């Protein structure tokens, strides 16, 4: 369902399009881990999260927000169970994955005396662009926004249901994921392809 929804977003072939597989893979691994209710988290999965997050970070940093949010929830779960050694090894695995994804590009551009340009094009420009955005709401784009944020609204509803049933973990995952994506997508111009970040919330809501 999530994959077939992607072409709706301004016909695809955008940075968000190429980020989706890199977001959905770690998200699937993360949700499977949480569903298993194991108190120890496998290191290799943290490496995959790092690789995918690092790759998305090279495409567009805010596209990897969901990976970061659910990783945060898993870390809190490990802290609650006092798995200090497991947290340390997972942190090292995560950082290793991120570095494996980013360092080859850094090394290439540094070797070609273009590291400054790479930093500007990949990260600095994105920050400048985001800081200058202003969201203008009209009736036409209001209707579009209502359609595209449906997964986030569903996740918020499920979060409330989970909290009511004292399922705090799933409430936190659904709630924080929805709020993070909403904060990213409705704080700017509101282009349709920005709302592609809501696509992973569909399988999250159905999980």
């Amino acid at each position: 369902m999530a994959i077939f929804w992607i072409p709706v977003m301004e016909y695809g072939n955008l940075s968000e399009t190429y980020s989706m597989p890199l977001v959905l893979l770690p998200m699937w691994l993360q949700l499977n881990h949480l569903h298993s209710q194991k108190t120890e988290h496998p290191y290799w999965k943290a490496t995959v999260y790092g690789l995918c997050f690092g790759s998305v970070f090279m495409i567009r940093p805010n596209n990897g927000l969901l990976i970061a949010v659910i990783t945060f929830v898993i870390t809190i779960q490990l802290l609650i169970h006092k798995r200090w050694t497991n947290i340390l090894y997972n942190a090292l695995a995560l950082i290793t994955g991120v570095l494996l994804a980013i360092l080859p590009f850094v090394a290439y551009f540094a070797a070609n005396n273009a590291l400054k340009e790479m930093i500007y094009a990949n990260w600095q420009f994105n920050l400048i662009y985001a800081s200058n955005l202003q969201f203008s709401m009209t009736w036409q784009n209001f209707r579009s926004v209502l359609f595209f944020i449906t997964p986030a609204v569903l996740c918020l509803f499920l979060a409330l249901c989970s909290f009511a049933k004292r399922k705090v973990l799933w409430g936190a995952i659904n709630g924080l994921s929805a709020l993070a994506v909403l904060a990213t997508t409705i704080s700017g111009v509101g282009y349709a392809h920005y709302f592609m970040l809501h696509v992973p919330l569909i399988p999250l809501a159905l999980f």
Side-chain angles (χ1 to χ4, degrees), residues 66-78:
L66 274 177
I67 304 173
V69 167
I70 303 181
T71 301
F72 172 74
V73 174
I74 291 173
T75 304
I76 296 300
Q77 184 195 37
L78 294 174

Side-chain angles (χ1 to χ4, degrees), residues 22-187:
L22 297 167
V23 173
L24 289 168
L25 172 59
M27 189 174 167
W28 176 69
L29 293 173
Q30 289 169 328
L31 294 178
N32 270 281
H33 165 72
L34 292 167
H35 189 69
S36 70
Q37 298 182 339
K38 294 178 180 178
T39 57
E40 294 276 332
H41 185 272
Y43 314 140
W44 70 268
K45 287 187 177 182
T47 307
V48 174
Y49 307 160
L51 279 167
C52 291
F53 181 80
S55 300
V56 173
F57 198 73
M58 293 300 299
I59 298 172
R60 196 163 184 244
N62 50 325
N63 289 356
L65 193 60
L66 274 177
I67 304 173
V69 167
I70 303 181
T71 301
F72 172 74
V73 174
I74 291 173
T75 304
I76 296 300
Q77 184 195 37
L78 294 174
L79 284 169
I80 291 171
H81 289 97
K82 299 180 180 180
R83 303 295 179 181
W84 313 115
T85 304
N86 192 248
I87 292 172
L88 176 61
Y89 286 135
N90 274 284
L92 291 173
L94 181 72
I95 293 169
T96 300
V98 172
L99 293 177
L100 285 172
I102 293 177
L103 285 182
F105 295 97
V106 172
Y108 173 81
F109 284 100
N112 288 275
N113 299 313
L115 184 59
K116 184 178 179 181
E117 287 78 4
M118 187 210 79
I119 292 172
Y120 177 80
N122 278 75
W123 305 315
Q124 190 177 355
F125 174 79
N126 189 60
L127 293 172
I128 296 170
Y129 177 75
S131 64
N132 292 323
L133 289 179
Q134 292 183 347
F135 186 73
S136 57
M137 181 65 72
T138 64
W139 173 244
Q140 183 176 359
N141 63 22
F142 176 72
R143 289 182 297 175
S144 299
V145 166
L146 283 180
F147 169 72
F148 288 130
I149 67 171
T150 302
V153 173
L154 178 58
C155 281
L156 287 174
F157 173 74
L158 291 174
L160 292 174
C161 293
S162 297
F163 284 127
K165 295 178 181 179
R166 297 184 179 181
K167 296 180 178 179
V168 179
L169 180 66
W170 291 104
I173 291 169
N174 281 286
L176 290 175
S177 297
L179 290 173
V181 172
L182 282 170
T184 302
T185 52
I186 67 174
S187 60

